[in-house]
Amino acid sequence: MLPSTSVNSSMQGNGVLNSRDAARHTAGAKRYKYLRRLFRFRQMDFEFAAWQMLYLFTSPQRVYRNFHYRKQTKDQWARDDPAFLVLLSIWLCVSTIGFGFVLDMGFFETIKLLLWVVFIDCVGVGLLIATLMWFISNKYLVKRQSRDYDVEWGYAFDVHLNAFYPLLVILHFIQLFFVNHVILTDTFIGYLVGNTLWLIAVGYYIYVTFLGYSALPFLKNTVILLYPFAPLILLYGLSLALGWNFTHALCSFYKYRVK
């Protein structure tokens, strides 16, 4: 799950990888260690994971400074503790149940919606985005003098989770308090409030993603990850001018899913 691996630093004098280091640094070994800890709650640091969730809103740079610290102390950037993933899953389940309640769904409809959101919207889309960003960053963003380093998939998935959390809280929790009485009233104020929440949520996702990749010293031109802000703002202005309501479309899509 390392985002970077130095080939030269893990070689012995004869240019052959030390067997212990090779085993310790393999993606398979790290994945096994991570998944094994996923079922050992007593070994998880939930307090630290909650701290990260707080600072992803107030000061996301501090979260990635901790990733630097992990690289120095544990020789890996990506998380080795699944506590953040567990707390994110809890947030996702609770907020989706809240969405089902606000949309007046029945018990089985809410469970169906929960399964869709968890396994398709979060896991499925997350795997796709992480894989895409992993490919793009390794193909186009690694500095020429740093070709011995690469962004590994585990770190790309961590960056996605970091960026997804603020979006989840804004669209699946804060927005719930305005859905029925403000956003879905088919008025200018309704889609102004709803679309502004979407602007903030997606903007957070873009910015936190940018911070994640710019934190890696062997990448270049990471500022291009901020370019989606331009079409995002343009789409926001266009939606207000034409009366598009993104939240209304989301609610209709959720209801269609559970039919």
Side-chain angles (χ1 to χ4, degrees):
M1 294 178 65
L2 283 171
S4 64
T5 302
S6 174
V7 175
N8 296 330
S9 64
S10 57
M11 287 187 175
Q12 295 177 333
N14 57 4
V16 179
L17 283 171
N18 178 284
S19 58
R20 172 184 288 182
D21 288 342
R24 184 167 58 90
H25 287 284
T26 59
K30 288 180 170 55
R31 183 165 56 249
Y32 172 74
K33 179 181 178 182
Y34 185 87
L35 293 175
R36 185 180 60 183
R37 293 190 65 182
L38 189 60
F39 301 99
R40 299 182 178 181
F41 294 100
R42 293 184 179 181
Q43 295 182 7
M44 298 184 194
D45 191 346
F46 290 106
E47 182 178 354
F48 181 69
W51 173 88
Q52 288 186 316
M53 288 182 164
L54 173 64
Y55 279 103
L56 282 172
F57 274 102
T58 60
S59 182
Q61 297 92 335
R62 295 186 63 175
V63 175
Y64 287 111
R65 282 201 293 269
N66 177 263
F67 278 66
H68 274 279
Y69 177 74
R70 184 182 298 109
K71 172 61 177 175
Q72 295 171 359
T73 58
K74 298 184 179 181
D75 195 27
Q76 70 177 65
W77 294 78
R79 292 184 177 96
D80 59 346
D81 184 351
F84 186 92
L85 178 61
V86 172
L87 290 184
L88 178 64
S89 301
I90 294 174
W91 261 102
L92 188 62
C93 292
V94 172
S95 63
T96 302
I97 292 173
F99 230 110
F101 176 79
V102 168
L103 297 181
D104 198 27
M105 294 182 179
F107 175 78
F108 291 106
E109 290 178 325
T110 302
I111 295 300
K112 189 176 180 180
L113 176 65
L114 179 62
L115 295 176
W116 268 99
V117 170
V118 171
F119 292 105
I120 303 299
D121 297 346
C122 182
V123 178
V125 175
L127 295 177
L128 180 63
I129 292 176
T131 302
L132 179 63
M133 292 303 299
W134 165 79
F135 173 79
I136 292 175
S137 57
N138 280 318
K139 184 73 173 180
Y140 302 107
L141 300 182
V142 176
K143 297 177 182 177
R144 180 170 299 179
Q145 65 271 27
S146 302
R147 288 300 174 182
D148 286 343
Y149 295 84
D150 69 330
V151 179
E152 292 193 8
W153 189 89
Y155 183 76
F157 189 66
D158 265 345
V159 172
H160 166 71
L161 293 181
N162 288 344
F164 181 75
Y165 174 69
L167 181 146
L168 170 69
V169 172
I170 293 171
L171 296 183
H172 255 231
F173 179 69
I174 296 176
Q175 185 173 229
L176 292 181
F177 297 97
F178 304 96
V179 169
N180 285 332
H181 300 292
V182 179
I183 297 176
L184 298 184
T185 56
D186 199 23
T187 63
F188 176 78
I189 295 298
Y191 52 80
L192 173 64
V193 172
N195 292 1
T196 300
L197 289 175
W198 276 86
L199 174 69
I200 296 172
V202 178
Y204 252 113
Y205 186 93
I206 295 171
Y207 179 60
V208 174
T209 298
F210 158 74
L211 290 178
Y213 290 94
S214 64
L216 301 180
F218 55 89
L219 295 186
K220 63 180 180 180
N221 300 329
T222 53
V223 69
I224 66 172
L225 299 178
L226 293 176
Y227 288 179
F229 266 113
L232 174 65
I233 295 174
L234 179 63
L235 180 62
Y236 172 73
L238 191 63
S239 70
L240 296 182
L242 298 179
W244 297 342
N245 191 324
F246 297 140
T247 303
H248 186 277
L250 176 68
C251 293
S252 298
F253 178 60
Y254 277 177
K255 290 180 179 179
Y256 172 78
R257 270 182 166 180
V258 299
K259 285 183 179 179

